[in-house]
Amino acid sequence: MGKSLVIVESPSKAKTINKFLGKNFKVVASVGHVRDLPKKELGVDVEGGFEPKYVTIRGKGKVLSEIRKAADKADAVYLAPDFDREGEAIAWHIATALGGKAKEVYRVIFNEITKKAIAEAFRNPGRIDENRVNAQQARRILDRIVGYKLSPLLWEKVRRGLSAGRVQSVAVRLICEREAEIKVFKSQEYWSITAELAGSEPPPFEAKLAKIGGKKAEIPDQGSADRILAAIQGKDFRVERIEKKQKRRNPVAPYTTSKLQMEASRKLGFSAKKTMMVAQKLYEGVSVGAEGSVGLITYMRTDSTRVAADALTEVRQLIGERYGKAYLPEKPKQYAKGKGAQDAHEAIRPTSVLRDPESIKAHLDHDGFRLYQLIWNRFVASQMKAAVLDTTAVDIGVNGHTFRATGSTVRFKGFMTVYLEAVENGEAALEGEKLLPPLAEGDRLTVNKIEPKQHFTQPPPRYSEATLVKELEEKGIGRPSTYAAILSTIQDREYAELQEKRFHPTPLGVLVNSLLVESFPDLLNAEFTANMEGELDRIEEGHADWKGTLKSFYDKFMKDLEQAKTTMRDVKKDVEETDVTCEKCGQGMVIKWGYNGEFIACSAYPECKNTKDFLRDDDGQIQIMEVEKTDERCPKCDGDMVVKKGRYGQFLACTRYPECKTTRRLVQDETGKIRAAQEERTDEVCEKCGSAMIVRHGRYGKFLGCSGYPKCRNIKPISIGVDCPQESCDGFVVQKMFKGRSFYGCSNYPQCRFTHKHRPLNEACPDCSGSFLTEQFRKEGENYHKFIGCPNKECQYSREVEDEVALKS
């Protein structure tokens, strides 16, 4: 009897599942999608009913070949990618690629990778859900149509290389609109008055002016504050009313995807993308000692708060035993289904609460432990009793003015014993203890001090990753599986950037957004995008035709596109005249658009290539930014070198440009002075022109470039002296940079996609025989200590590098 073949999308998932299934099953990984629309053409037959033209993804031919061979020998094939639209599409593409190779093809689905869940899934296999596949195809084709048709328009009107996305562009619009609100916001002054008071017993306490003459206190300026102070100066402060209440605070539901991304951002400082990467590892399986590899959490792409009955039984038993019966509600808590939730999966929870975070901490990396702890704490807390707080509100009268003091004590911590929900500008969403002294109505109070304070109203805050995910969810834009990708894409396309953990639109983002909003009001409308998400859900439920949905969208979109070709502002040709005169040729200078936004250029271009940076003041007037002169001389023509700003920051450039195109990086010397980086010459000779090769610095790190540039543009990667660890690859490892972060990759990219965040070494692991070890760093106090470790997470090999303290790069 032949083995059954099981196909999943992830190698780590394959390893975990293989442990549960036994010797009669062979588990292989497709490593994600195996087929997709072609990159260099639309790949959709619009006239033929929107029939997609799928091709094998580059590099996946070998994977498919191996899957076909295994299917030939198998009695049955079980397709087990994730249970969502993308997973269903992966299963469908693999089944299609197999053709008649397999005798029987089944679809197995599970919410967690545990022995019980896997056994149940294989006892009850199903078939591929065509409706879910069609929903994925509809989304993919919608996004392809928008990107493929709209991007060339942006290339024509703005510059080449730009792209637009159906959902991502709406996210950029939200960021741009918030920025516009901030710019027009007019701050208003207001004042508060706080009194520090004392009763007959400690502690002293604060009370804030709340009412004047029975109406809400409004103090617009210092004059009003001074009049109030004069009216209450020397007057008696007496307790007029005391109100005591008992306040219950209920726990929150276990995590959905969006809530997990928000909390991980606020509490752990994780990006949405990082949260999903760490969660994916926890879901697919981690080796936890004698138990071996097991999935630690349920599926992490979900909008449901539902929890399985056996999980509720287990967590209630743990609460009763660990925290006591006083913390256990009479019956399990059920949480309301969110608006528009699909409810296909359970909430995100531990696969077993008996694996508490501390018991498996030694088997998790730092990020994995912190995220698992967050998920475990929230799930346990969600099934505990409410917290009970005693609150006291005291009204204090003084000459027609009412001050209010509030205090609270925690009577019963309830779920707060385990978990507190984070808020945007603080750690805990629950108040702690704030004590007031014993007070009675009619008590006369001692005034220690009265303090007036000036305040100003603040504009709405820029979006953080957490608040942007919340906004997308509330508006119905995207789905749990897409939030992280949306946030990454808008940054990768340089339409928005995070500064101090807040999204700022780039000049490019503002420009592209304004053009698209004007020409495609429906496409960039949040309600329209949410309705389209709803239509995709209807396709998945079998209530809508996917090709009909595509046709309705396409007809309207193409009509808008044709109109935009003639009406959209042509930024390339659009110039704004100024009263600035070019000091080089005497011609007028005009405002143009460049990669970094607006700049001033000579109207006589290309005969005169003089340019300047500028700022606009509050009245919109142009303020020329003076060029920063330096003491540096051009090594090629002895001209003056000045500081300029380019795509990747500031640099030194020769003032004799364009005749001399010499540039230099800026570096900081040991005295803190900014100077030009010295040219790093090497012994290597350019094989194209015979000139010396020098070390250059680019967006992705160091590389070798010909010193004869720009006549010779030959470049090469720089080896770190380590061969590529991948089998059958003759490349070498190079250091690269992306978004300010260093990593290591193969010189044969994209043919070889080996990458690693730590520096590889030409040394095999002595414990597991892995092909290489890595240099890593461990923080101790203010220093980073280097050690050598095995990159295989299931191998614990490491050794210290004696007496070596280093700064982590």
Side-chain angles (χ1 to χ4, degrees):
M1 179 180 175
K3 288 185 177 182
S4 293
L5 178 65
V6 181
I7 304 170
V8 298
E9 71 274 60
S10 159
S12 57
K13 187 176 176 181
K15 187 174 182 179
T16 307
I17 290 176
N18 192 60
K19 185 192 75 166
F20 297 131
L21 291 176
K23 62 182 181 180
N24 290 327
F25 291 85
K26 179 179 180 179
V27 187
V28 299
S30 69
V31 195
H33 279 276
V34 294
R35 299 199 310 166
D36 196 6
L37 299 173
K39 286 189 173 182
K40 295 185 178 180
E41 59 178 288
L42 179 61
V44 180
D45 185 359
V46 175
E47 302 301 325
F50 294 92
E51 197 63 35
K53 172 189 173 182
Y54 292 114
V55 297
T56 300
I57 295 172
R58 185 174 182 178
K60 292 299 180 73
K62 184 179 178 182
V63 173
L64 276 178
S65 177
E66 291 174 352
I67 288 175
R68 288 191 186 103
K69 287 178 184 177
D72 269 340
K73 301 174 184 177
D75 291 333
V77 174
Y78 293 87
L79 302 168
D82 291 343
F83 182 45
D84 57 14
R85 288 176 191 163
E86 292 301 319
E88 206 72 19
I90 291 172
W92 178 76
H93 281 297
I94 292 172
T96 304
L98 287 177
K101 294 282 183 182
K103 296 171 185 177
E104 291 288 345
V105 178
Y106 300 101
R107 175 76 165 108
V108 287
I109 56 177
F110 35 82
N111 187 56
E112 59 187 61
I113 305 178
T114 59
K115 186 173 183 179
K116 179 180 177 182
I118 298 301
E120 179 65 23
F122 278 83
R123 275 196 300 268
N124 300 285
R127 301 292 180 181
I128 292 173
D129 187 333
E130 296 287 345
N131 290 329
R132 186 172 283 114
V133 173
N134 290 339
Q136 190 275 343
Q137 289 193 98
R139 176 188 288 279
R140 184 72 186 94
I141 294 171
L142 277 171
D143 292 342
R144 170 53 67 93
I145 288 171
V146 172
Y148 202 84
K149 298 288 186 182
L150 200 50
S151 297
L153 179 64
L154 293 177
W155 300 352
E156 179 188 339
K157 302 290 185 177
V158 186
R159 67 170 173 80
R160 288 194 65 83
L162 296 181
S163 59
R166 184 180 59 85
V167 179
Q168 296 89 340
S169 295
V170 181
V172 174
R173 180 178 184 175
L174 293 175
I175 294 169
C176 290
E177 288 179 344
R178 177 58 57 87
E179 194 70 20
E181 290 178 48
I182 293 170
K183 284 187 176 180
V184 300
F185 181 82
K186 300 296 183 185
S187 184
Q188 293 185 333
E189 179 186 9
Y190 69 98
W191 287 67
S192 65
I193 297 177
T194 304
E196 185 184 291
L197 306 171
S200 57
E201 297 181 32
F205 62 98
E206 289 186 346
K208 191 174 180 179
L209 179 62
K211 294 181 179 180
I212 302 174
K215 296 181 179 180
K216 181 181 177 181
E218 293 184 354
I219 315 172
D221 49 42
Q222 185 174 357
S224 301
D226 290 342
R227 287 191 290 274
I228 292 169
L229 292 172
I232 63 176
Q233 195 70 39
K235 301 294 192 294
D236 286 347
F237 280 69
R238 291 189 180 274
V239 177
E240 292 183 337
R241 188 171 71 95
I242 300 175
E243 182 181 21
K244 293 185 177 182
K245 288 183 179 179
Q246 198 173 85
K247 184 178 179 181
R248 294 173 63 84
R249 197 66 178 261
N250 292 312
V252 286
Y255 285 126
T256 60
T257 301
S258 60
K259 295 297 188 294
L260 178 63
Q261 290 173 354
M262 293 179 209
E263 283 274 285
S265 173
R266 291 166 179 163
K267 285 193 169 187
L268 308 181
F270 287 6
S271 67
K273 184 177 181 179
K274 180 176 180 177
T275 299
M276 298 310 290
M277 288 175 63
V278 176
Q280 184 87 32
K281 292 178 183 177
L282 296 175
Y283 165 70
E284 291 182 345
V286 175
S287 181
V288 286
E291 191 177 2
S293 183
V294 63
L296 296 180
I297 64 170
T298 54
Y299 192 55
M300 62 284 154
R301 295 184 181 92
T302 178
D303 54 12
S304 174
T305 56
R306 176 174 52 83
V307 175
D310 57 349
L312 290 174
T313 300
E314 187 180 68
V315 72
R316 285 175 58 80
Q317 183 178 347
L318 177 133
I319 292 168
E321 292 175 356
R322 180 172 296 191
Y323 303 102
K325 297 293 184 183
Y327 289 81
L328 187 64
E330 291 183 10
K331 58 183 181 180
K333 289 183 176 290
Q334 303 292 335
Y335 291 91
K337 179 179 175 181
K339 181 182 176 183
Q342 295 298 290
D343 208 38
H345 297 278
E346 286 186 60
I348 304 170
R349 61 168 176 82
T351 53
S352 173
V353 290
L354 301 183
R355 295 188 199 93
D356 68 74
E358 289 299 327
S359 71
I360 60 173
K361 184 175 182 179
H363 305 289
L364 299 175
D365 60 25
H366 183 60
D367 291 337
F369 170 74
R370 294 169 74 203
L371 192 67
Y372 181 74
Q373 185 179 51
L374 206 61
I375 293 168
W376 192 93
N377 288 350
R378 173 118 167 188
F379 176 60
V380 172
S382 73
Q383 291 299 321
M384 296 176 77
K385 279 190 175 180
V388 180
L389 296 91
D390 290 330
T391 63
T392 304
V394 180
D395 285 349
I396 301 155
V398 50
N399 194 23
H401 298 71
T402 303
F403 283 73
R404 170 159 286 203
T406 58
S408 64
T409 56
V410 179
R411 176 183 288 266
F412 175 66
K413 290 190 74 173
F415 76 93
M416 290 169 58
T417 306
V418 177
Y419 171 85
L420 285 179
E421 187 179 17
V423 293
E424 184 63 17
N425 296 310
E427 173 63 18
L430 286 172
E431 59 268 48
E433 293 197 336
K434 184 180 176 184
L435 297 177
L436 293 175
L439 297 171
E441 291 183 3
D443 281 357
R444 183 174 178 273
L445 303 174
T446 302
V447 181
N448 292 338
K449 65 176 179 179
I450 301 175
E451 184 178 16
K453 276 188 179 180
Q454 183 186 40
H455 308 275
F456 293 90
T457 56
Q458 298 297 311
R462 293 181 176 90
Y463 290 109
S464 63
E465 286 214 350
T467 55
L468 185 55
V469 168
K470 181 180 180 182
E471 187 78 0
L472 292 172
E473 182 183 41
E474 289 179 351
K475 291 183 178 296
I477 301 168
R479 283 292 179 263
S481 60
T482 63
Y483 297 138
I486 292 170
L487 270 56
S488 294
T489 300
I490 61 177
Q491 295 175 76
D492 292 343
R493 291 177 176 172
E494 298 182 340
Y495 292 152
E497 57 189 9
L498 279 173
Q499 297 177 19
E500 298 179 345
K501 297 186 178 182
R502 297 282 172 171
F503 277 110
H504 293 247
T506 63
L508 179 63
V510 173
L511 174 67
V512 171
N513 177 70
S514 65
L515 295 175
L516 294 180
V517 168
E518 184 176 347
S519 297
F520 300 90
D522 286 340
L523 185 65
L524 267 73
N525 180 275
E527 186 177 349
F528 174 84
T529 306
N531 289 339
M532 183 56 69
E533 294 290 349
E535 192 65 16
L536 293 172
D537 293 340
R538 281 170 41 79
I539 294 169
E540 183 172 337
E541 294 159 3
H543 299 147
D545 174 59
W546 69 287
K547 291 187 176 180
T549 299
L550 288 172
K551 187 175 189 318
S552 297
F553 172 86
Y554 184 80
D555 290 345
K556 175 67 170 67
F557 173 70
M558 290 304 294
K559 182 180 177 182
D560 290 344
L561 183 66
E562 290 303 316
Q563 184 174 344
K565 287 178 180 179
T566 57
T567 61
M568 182 182 280
R569 172 188 164 200
D570 192 331
V571 177
K572 286 183 178 179
K573 298 177 182 177
D574 195 13
V575 295
E576 178 184 341
E577 293 186 358
T578 72
D579 57 4
V580 180
T581 301
C582 176
E583 74 278 11
K584 290 187 176 182
C585 70
Q587 296 294 314
M589 300 194 78
V590 296
I591 296 174
K592 289 186 174 183
W593 173 264
Y595 194 94
N596 295 300
E598 292 180 317
F599 68 99
I600 285 184
C602 182
S603 59
Y605 179 88
E607 288 76 20
C608 179
K609 296 181 179 179
N610 189 21
T611 63
K612 294 178 180 293
D613 291 326
F614 74 95
L615 296 173
R616 293 184 189 267
D617 61 23
D618 294 338
D619 298 324
Q621 298 299 310
I622 294 169
Q623 303 292 327
I624 298 295
M625 295 174 65
E626 296 297 329
V627 173
E628 185 179 341
K629 295 182 179 180
T630 70
D631 296 332
E632 300 282 345
R633 309 297 299 177
C634 176
K636 290 188 178 180
C637 72
D638 199 40
D640 294 329
M641 298 286 280
V642 295
V643 178
K644 288 193 173 184
K645 182 181 178 183
R647 183 175 178 181
Y648 305 120
Q650 290 186 323
F651 65 96
L652 283 180
C654 181
T655 52
R656 293 180 181 175
Y657 177 87
E659 290 76 20
C660 180
K661 296 181 179 179
T662 301
T663 62
R664 286 287 183 272
R665 290 186 306 117
L666 287 173
V667 295
Q668 190 174 35
D669 64 20
E670 59 277 3
T671 66
K673 184 179 179 182
I674 301 296
R675 60 174 179 78
Q678 295 301 308
E679 192 172 77
E680 300 175 58
R681 288 189 169 265
T682 70
D683 295 332
E684 190 159 348
V685 176
C686 175
E687 68 272 19
K688 291 187 177 181
C689 71
S691 300
M693 298 291 282
I694 60 175
V695 177
R696 295 189 182 275
H697 296 255
R699 184 180 184 184
Y700 302 112
K702 292 182 180 180
F703 63 95
L704 287 180
C706 181
S707 59
Y709 178 87
K711 290 182 179 179
C712 179
R713 297 176 180 266
N714 187 26
I715 62 171
K716 292 181 179 180
I718 300 176
S719 172
I720 65 167
V722 177
D723 295 330
C724 178
Q726 299 284 61
E727 291 183 13
S728 70
C729 179
D730 61 357
F732 51 84
V733 177
V734 299
Q735 187 174 14
K736 300 184 178 184
M737 294 287 292
F738 185 67
K739 292 189 174 177
R741 293 191 177 186
S742 173
F743 71 99
Y744 298 87
C746 181
S747 60
N748 283 341
Y749 178 88
Q751 287 74 27
C752 176
R753 294 181 178 269
F754 168 78
T755 61
H756 206 279
K757 65 179 179 180
H758 300 303
R759 184 185 183 95
L761 301 173
N762 273 333
E763 183 181 347
C765 177
D767 284 3
C768 72
S769 300
S771 60
F772 67 102
L773 296 174
T774 60
E775 286 184 356
Q776 300 181 38
F777 294 86
R778 181 186 298 114
K779 189 172 184 181
E780 296 179 10
E782 295 300 316
N783 296 318
Y784 285 94
H785 288 259
K786 186 193 292 186
F787 68 97
I788 308 301
C790 180
N792 181 359
K793 290 185 178 179
E794 296 183 8
C795 177
Q796 302 298 314
Y797 176 79
S798 70
R799 69 173 186 266
E800 297 294 326
V801 178
E802 293 184 5
D803 301 324
E804 183 154 1
V805 178
L807 289 175
K808 188 180 179 185
S809 59

